[in-house]
Amino acid sequence: MQKVVKFGGSSLADSNQFKKVKAIIEADSSRSIVVVSALGKRNKHDHKITDLLYLTGAHLKYGVDANQVFNIVKERYYEVKNDLNLDVYLEQEFSQIEDNFSKNIDEEYLVSRGEYLAAKLMASFLGYTFVDAKDLIFFDYDGKINENKTYEALQDILKTTKRIVVPGFYGSYPDGKIHLLSRGGSDVTGSILAKASEASIYENWTDVSGFLVTDPRIVSEPKQIKEISYEELRELSYMGANVLHEDTIFPVQELEIPINVKNTNCPLDPGTIITSNPSDKSQIITGIAGKKDYVSITILKKQKTPKLTVIKQVLDVLVKYNVNVEHMPSSIDSFSLIISSNEINKRLYEVVAEIKALNEVTDVIVEQGIALVAVVGRNMALKPGMSAKLFSIFGKNDINIKVIAQASQELSIIVGVENSQFEKAIKAIYEGLVK
Ligand code: ASP
C-alpha cells in the first residue's frame, strides 16, 4: 500500500533540504505520492516564497515595480536547480509567469507558482512524474473540494504512473482557474490525496519531531506527544496550538488513515501519530493549549422571567451582529457569554447596548482580558478526580478561575483566567499534571 508524504516549506528551503527529502523517499519505496509546499525559510531572517509572491502581487496591484521582489523568488529556485543540476526549464516558467504581470494579475495563480515550481524541481530530482494540482484537486465554484472528481482524476493518473509529485495548496475551479486553499493548505492537499489513494498512512514532514504537549515558549522543553486522537488534535488546534491546518483531519479521519508528523532533519525520530483510537494510556494529559483575549459578558435577568426566554433574546442579538459564542456558563438568574475579542471586536458596545435595552435584563457586566486554557486528554475520562486535581493546582498557585467548562466525552477541561495569569496557569498545569 502506498504512503502519501507531504513536505513543508522548511523541508524544501534549499538544495540541502531537497537532498534530505530524497533520502527519506528513497528509504521507503511505498512513499510514492509526494506533496510539496513552496520553498520556506532557510533561517530565522529569511522569507517564505509564498509571502514573497503575495508581496509581488501587491506591488503589481499598486503599480509599484515588482521585479526586485520577484527576482528574489527567481534566485531561490535557480539556486536549487543549479545546485542539483536539474533539467527544469525555469527560464520558460518564469517568463510565462512574467507575461501575466499586470495590475489585474490573478493573485491566486501567482501565489500558487511557489508550490508549482517546487514540485517541478522535486519531480525532476526524484525522477517522479510531475502532476499539476490544477488537473487533480478540483473545487466547485463555492470553494468546496469536489471529492469525486478529484478521486477519479487520481485513479486515472495512477493507472499510468505510480510515483508522482504534486504541488500542495491549490487546485482549480470548473473553468480551470487556479484556486488557493487557505494558508498552510498543502497539509490539506496531502490529506485529500491520502484519502483518494486509500493510503496506508499520511506522513507530514516538517521541521519538528511531532507535537509538543504545550507551547515551548511558555514551558521549556515540554514532552513530545507520541499519540493523539483526531478529536484531541482538533480541540488543541482550535484552542490555539499551532499544529496542522485545521482541515487536515477530515479527509483521512473518514477512512481512519493515521497521520504521522515527522521531522525531515531527524527522520528516525518517531514523531507524533494521529489516529482514531490511540493505544497509549500512559499520559493522562495529551496537550495543553490556550488563547488570550476573550470577553465575558454576564447578563443578569429579572427573577420571574424564564432563563430560556432571555437566552433566546440575547442570542438573537448575537445572530444579528454575527458574533460567535465560545462558552455560556450559567446560574439561576444570570448567564455569561464568553466571546473571543477578535470576534466581537468593534461591535462590543453596540451588542452590549442592545442586550442592556432588553426588557427582561436587569444588568450587564462586561469583563475583558480573559484567557482560556484547555487541558485536553482522552485518558482523563478514565480517571476520577481530574478536575479536583486541576483546581487544587490553581488554588496552590494563587490563580483565580473565572470560567470553567468541560467539553463532552470529558475530552477537555477549559478554564478561564485573567490574561496576566495565562502563562503561569499553563506552567502550573504542566508541572502538576504532566511532568
Ligand atoms: N506555502 C503555503 C503557505 O505558506 C502553503 C503551505 O505551505 O502549506 O501557506
Side-chain angles (χ1 to χ4, degrees):
M1 266 235 257
Q2 68 253 48
K3 295 179 178 170
V4 171
V5 287
K6 178 254 164 177
F7 291 89
S10 55
S11 303
L12 303 152
D14 57 22
S15 54
N16 206 21
Q17 293 301 89
F18 267 63
K19 286 179 192 161
K20 290 183 192 168
V21 169
K22 187 174 187 176
I24 288 166
I25 289 173
E26 287 181 345
D28 180 345
S29 63
S30 56
R31 291 179 175 138
S32 53
I33 300 179
V34 181
V35 176
V36 292
S37 288
L39 312 197
K41 292 183 185 188
R42 291 162 294 187
N43 53 61
K44 261 211 314 243
H45 309 289
D46 204 9
H47 300 287
K48 290 175 86 170
I49 290 293
T50 306
D51 294 333
L52 295 174
L53 289 170
Y54 273 115
L55 198 57
T56 306
H59 277 69
L60 292 168
K61 191 166 157 201
Y62 292 105
V64 181
D65 181 16
N67 288 321
Q68 213 182 340
V69 186
F70 194 61
N71 281 342
I72 308 175
V73 173
K74 287 164 87 171
E75 275 164 28
R76 296 279 309 271
Y77 285 88
Y78 275 120
E79 198 176 284
V80 173
K81 174 197 141 106
N82 294 336
D83 282 357
L84 302 175
N85 223 345
L86 302 176
D87 231 2
V88 176
Y89 298 108
L90 282 183
E91 298 75 7
Q92 230 168 295
E93 298 287 357
F94 283 125
S95 63
Q96 214 175 70
I97 300 169
E98 283 163 327
D99 284 348
N100 287 287
F101 273 16
S102 76
K103 276 198 168 164
N104 301 325
I105 188 164
D106 178 6
E107 188 186 61
E108 296 189 82
Y109 158 78
L110 175 63
V111 172
S112 71
R113 298 304 86 184
E115 270 66 17
Y116 170 87
L117 291 171
K120 282 257 160 173
L121 294 177
M122 186 54 81
S124 160
F125 190 41
L126 296 174
Y128 277 29
T129 306
F130 167 82
V131 175
D132 193 342
K134 87 171 172 27
D135 304 320
L136 180 55
I137 305 290
F138 294 108
F139 293 95
D140 292 328
Y141 282 119
D142 60 5
K144 290 212 180 89
I145 291 177
N146 184 329
E147 294 201 351
N148 288 341
K149 205 169 158 191
T150 300
Y151 300 162
E152 277 167 24
L154 182 67
Q155 293 314 328
D156 262 4
I157 290 162
L158 294 179
K159 275 181 204 149
T160 52
T161 173
K162 292 282 172 242
R163 301 185 171 277
I164 60 173
V165 178
V166 182
F169 190 35
Y170 74 96
S172 61
Y173 282 124
D175 63 1
K177 263 185 82 178
I178 298 285
H179 179 54
L180 292 180
L181 288 152
S182 53
R183 293 299 303 263
S186 301
D187 285 341
V188 183
T189 308
S191 184
I192 291 164
L193 295 182
K195 181 180 177 192
S197 62
E198 297 183 17
S200 59
I201 194 163
Y202 169 26
E203 291 179 347
N204 190 293
W205 291 81
T206 176
D207 53 5
V208 287
S209 296
F211 306 141
L212 298 170
V213 170
T214 194
D215 188 339
R217 289 166 300 185
I218 299 176
V219 171
S220 83
E221 297 187 26
K223 286 185 182 171
Q224 297 274 345
I225 301 177
K226 286 192 211 126
E227 275 189 272
I228 182 168
S229 70
Y230 299 122
E231 289 83 9
E232 286 175 306
L233 185 71
R234 250 177 85 65
E235 292 269 338
L236 283 173
S237 38
Y238 181 65
M239 283 306 292
N242 189 9
V243 285
L244 298 171
H245 186 292
E246 60 184 11
D247 295 337
T248 309
I249 301 296
F250 301 119
V252 289
Q253 188 170 16
E254 250 179 85
L255 299 188
E256 299 196 1
I257 299 168
I259 306 176
N260 191 183
V261 177
K262 302 250 309 166
N263 189 347
T264 301
N265 305 317
C266 302
L268 297 179
D269 285 359
T272 299
I273 294 266
I274 309 155
T275 59
S276 55
N277 200 3
S279 55
D280 181 18
K281 304 255 183 293
S282 64
Q283 287 293 326
I284 305 294
I285 306 293
T286 307
I288 309 161
K291 282 196 239 175
K292 284 184 178 175
D293 295 328
Y294 286 85
V295 182
S296 154
I297 305 174
T298 301
I299 293 116
L300 289 92
K301 66 164 190 68
K302 287 182 185 160
Q303 283 181 358
K304 283 200 184 120
T305 315
K307 198 157 67 185
L308 204 56
T309 312
V310 186
I311 288 180
K312 168 149 191 333
Q313 291 171 354
V314 168
L315 291 185
D316 284 342
V317 175
L318 297 181
V319 170
K320 177 175 160 195
Y321 286 92
N322 197 16
V323 170
N324 240 317
V325 183
E326 210 79 19
H327 298 287
M328 208 168 78
S330 73
S331 63
I332 182 153
D333 282 323
S334 72
F335 57 95
S336 302
L337 309 167
I338 310 295
I339 300 170
S340 151
S341 300
N342 275 341
E343 181 72 31
I344 196 157
N345 217 342
K346 292 179 184 122
R347 293 165 289 181
L348 178 63
Y349 298 108
E350 281 116 304
V351 169
V352 171
E354 280 208 28
I355 296 175
K356 260 193 172 154
L358 295 171
N359 253 338
E360 314 302 324
V361 169
T362 55
D363 200 5
V364 179
I365 302 158
V366 178
E367 201 175 342
Q368 307 210 46
I370 292 179
L372 295 183
V373 177
V375 182
V376 177
R378 62 187 178 276
N379 294 329
M380 286 197 302
L382 312 170
K383 269 265 191 215
M386 271 312 292
S387 310
K389 258 196 192 157
L390 184 65
F391 299 141
S392 83
I393 289 172
F394 278 78
K396 267 190 226 138
N397 286 279
D398 215 11
I399 301 169
N400 188 20
I401 298 179
K402 301 208 158 260
V403 184
I404 300 168
Q406 182 164 39
S408 60
Q409 301 168 309
E410 296 176 62
L411 198 62
S412 66
I413 301 173
I414 292 155
V415 181
V417 299
E418 263 172 33
N419 267 348
S420 62
Q421 297 206 301
F422 177 68
E423 284 84 3
K424 187 176 174 189
I426 290 188
K427 271 190 200 138
I429 300 168
Y430 185 87
E431 292 288 323
L433 297 178
V434 181
K435 215 171 161 187

